[in-house]
Amino acid sequence: MEFLSHVEIPSEYLPLLADPLKLSEKLSKKFTAQERHALIHYLEILPKIREKFGADLICDRLAYEQATAKDISEYKAQLWPSGAKIADLCCGMGGDSFWLPTGALATGADIAPERVLMFNENMRRLGLLHRAVLQNALEITGGDFFCIDPARRGGLSPDFESVLEVSKKFCGGMAKLPPAFPENSIPEKSDVFYLGNATDCRECLMLSGIFGKGLIRASTICNEWQCEKNELQSISLEAKKAGDFILEPNPVLVRSHLFLSEAKKLGFWQIDSTLAYVSCENLPQKHSGFAAYRIIEQSSLSTNNVKAMLKKHNAGKITLKKRGVEVVPEAEIRRLAPKGEKECILFYTRILGEKRAILAELA
């Protein structure tokens, strides 16, 4: 990794990835076997690095996968006060510090020497003053603000109890957690903040200290929703048969359960008390956070009934969405083999506990 920080990576090497022998031969004229291995590994992920960060940064595959992407990092950067001094703990390649606001200064800390090297080299490439040191995050004495990224595929490292202890040393900060992290483990006064886009919930943040107000929050960067924890826990929606429209909440609203508070404001109800599909008779002009579909017809999940419904409405190009029904959408569409010309949405779900197929179109 240190070798890569001193090497110019010509883009002419990228097309040769499809021909490993030719690439290896070209690299052998300049680099040792160990250097060639490092270069090929880097070239394989370079297009993804450019897409995720918008720059030719230094990292290996694991660091790339664990780092916060540019859009999320830029959004989180807005949460810091002007001139903030931030301890970037478990800093990795630097993803949480690349786009901090002007005047903010981050000091990274990581126990892996190669991660410290990545962090410092990437800051140099981006022309930033943030620097990292080789240090255990748990041994940091404290300061104004912190961010920490203990999220790993095999669990949190350091563990959550250690993260909570570290957070007490600072005025405030944010800890990056897996989206499915149990909310009841997060202190009552801390905010739980879910971040994502139209198709995925990508991060869960615990905002502690001066950033915590006891809220559940969710954002797609373009839109943000919030509700007090106690208030959200007391909200329930009426469950009844589907009206003229079926609505699918954004993944961050589903994960945070904020779809309940937002649906209540808009007059929606659930079609099943255990599922996140909601419905209404009259679609409001503004329904931010909900994809709306006009119901054409519905039937039981009997194959013959579903096929008949598709044929009746000339449905051919089908997108299958499911909640509460175990089915592989791609395989089910092949099995149904629709032959019509119309584009439709087919929902496999439950209405008041009964499995149903709902044919719909974008509203």
Side-chain angles (χ1 to χ4, degrees):
M1 190 53 62
E2 185 173 3
F3 152 71
L4 287 175
S5 67
H6 302 294
V7 171
E8 187 78 20
I9 310 292
S11 291
E12 67 190 66
Y13 291 153
L14 284 171
L16 297 178
L17 281 171
D19 190 343
L21 288 177
K22 193 171 182 179
L23 176 59
S24 183
E25 180 182 351
K26 190 173 181 68
L27 294 177
S28 67
K29 298 174 182 178
K30 290 186 178 181
F31 306 105
T32 67
Q34 185 175 5
E35 290 170 342
R36 289 199 301 274
H37 177 77
L39 269 171
I40 291 173
H41 171 82
Y42 180 68
L43 286 167
E44 287 174 345
I45 62 173
L46 183 55
K48 293 182 178 180
I49 293 170
R50 289 173 173 173
E51 181 181 358
K52 188 170 184 175
F53 305 111
D56 288 6
L57 302 179
I58 290 295
C59 63
D60 56 23
R61 191 179 301 276
L62 184 59
Y64 154 80
E65 291 174 349
Q66 292 175 341
T68 303
K70 182 178 181 180
D71 58 343
I72 295 289
S73 184
E74 285 181 323
Y75 182 80
K76 292 195 296 187
Q78 302 173 40
L79 302 176
W80 300 111
S82 177
K85 290 182 172 55
I86 305 158
D88 186 349
L89 309 178
C90 305
C91 64
M93 65 176 287
D96 285 316
S97 294
F98 292 153
W99 294 281
L100 292 176
T102 302
L105 184 64
T107 301
D110 206 296
I111 57 172
E114 65 274 16
R115 297 291 188 264
V116 174
L117 186 151
M118 292 176 194
F119 185 102
N120 290 331
E121 173 60 18
N122 289 332
M123 296 307 168
R124 184 190 69 79
R125 292 185 175 207
L126 294 171
L128 300 172
L129 299 178
H130 315 308
R131 292 295 178 266
V133 295
L134 189 65
Q135 188 174 5
N136 189 326
L138 303 183
E139 297 174 355
I140 297 291
T141 56
D144 292 341
F145 303 105
F146 78 97
C147 63
I148 188 167
D149 181 2
R152 298 293 180 265
R153 288 176 181 169
L156 300 186
S157 179
D159 61 33
F160 189 60
E161 289 303 318
S162 298
V163 170
L164 291 178
E165 287 302 312
V166 167
S167 71
K168 295 174 184 177
K169 301 177 182 179
F170 296 85
C171 298
M174 58 185 75
K176 177 180 172 182
L177 301 169
F181 191 81
E183 280 182 16
N184 56 9
S185 299
I186 296 174
E188 187 64 30
K189 292 183 179 179
S190 296
D191 284 9
V192 187
F193 199 177
Y194 295 90
L195 300 172
N197 53 26
T199 60
D200 194 21
C201 180
R202 293 155 63 186
E203 280 191 18
C204 171
L205 291 180
M206 178 185 76
L207 303 180
S208 63
I210 65 169
F211 297 113
K213 299 174 183 175
L215 300 175
I216 300 290
R217 300 167 61 183
S219 175
T220 58
I221 299 178
C222 297
N223 294 291
E224 184 173 328
W225 305 270
Q226 65 180 42
C227 185
E228 291 185 8
K229 290 180 180 179
N230 292 336
E231 181 184 346
L232 185 60
Q233 290 171 1
S234 66
I235 292 176
S236 62
L237 296 179
E238 181 183 6
K240 59 182 182 179
K241 292 182 178 180
D244 289 341
F245 298 89
I246 183 170
L247 298 102
E248 181 181 30
N250 183 279
V252 294
L253 288 180
V254 176
R255 179 63 71 179
S256 64
H257 292 97
L258 284 172
F259 80 91
L260 293 168
S261 59
E262 295 305 309
K264 196 172 187 69
K265 293 174 188 175
L266 294 166
F268 300 157
W269 63 84
Q270 287 174 277
I271 59 174
D272 190 281
S273 61
T274 65
L275 302 177
Y277 285 144
V278 295
S279 185
C280 67
E281 294 287 359
N282 301 300
L283 188 66
Q285 186 175 3
K286 293 184 179 180
H287 45 86
S288 173
F290 294 85
Y293 306 90
R294 187 186 308 276
I295 294 175
I296 299 171
E297 191 177 335
Q298 55 177 289
S299 76
S300 70
L301 286 191
S302 158
T303 299
N304 289 337
N305 287 347
V306 175
K307 284 185 173 183
M309 182 170 65
L310 296 178
K311 183 177 180 180
K312 175 183 176 182
H313 296 283
N314 194 29
K317 187 176 180 181
I318 299 295
T319 299
L320 198 156
K321 296 177 176 286
K322 67 183 181 77
R323 285 191 193 280
V325 174
E326 288 303 318
V327 65
V328 179
E330 296 79 7
E332 181 66 7
I333 291 172
R334 287 195 299 270
R335 194 174 70 83
L336 293 171
K339 294 180 173 60
E341 298 177 354
K342 189 176 180 181
E343 292 187 22
C344 292
I345 312 296
L346 181 62
F347 291 87
Y348 275 15
T349 187
R350 294 197 306 265
I351 298 179
L352 300 178
E354 180 185 358
K355 292 181 180 180
R356 300 288 287 173
I358 299 174
L359 187 64
E361 60 187 0
L362 276 170

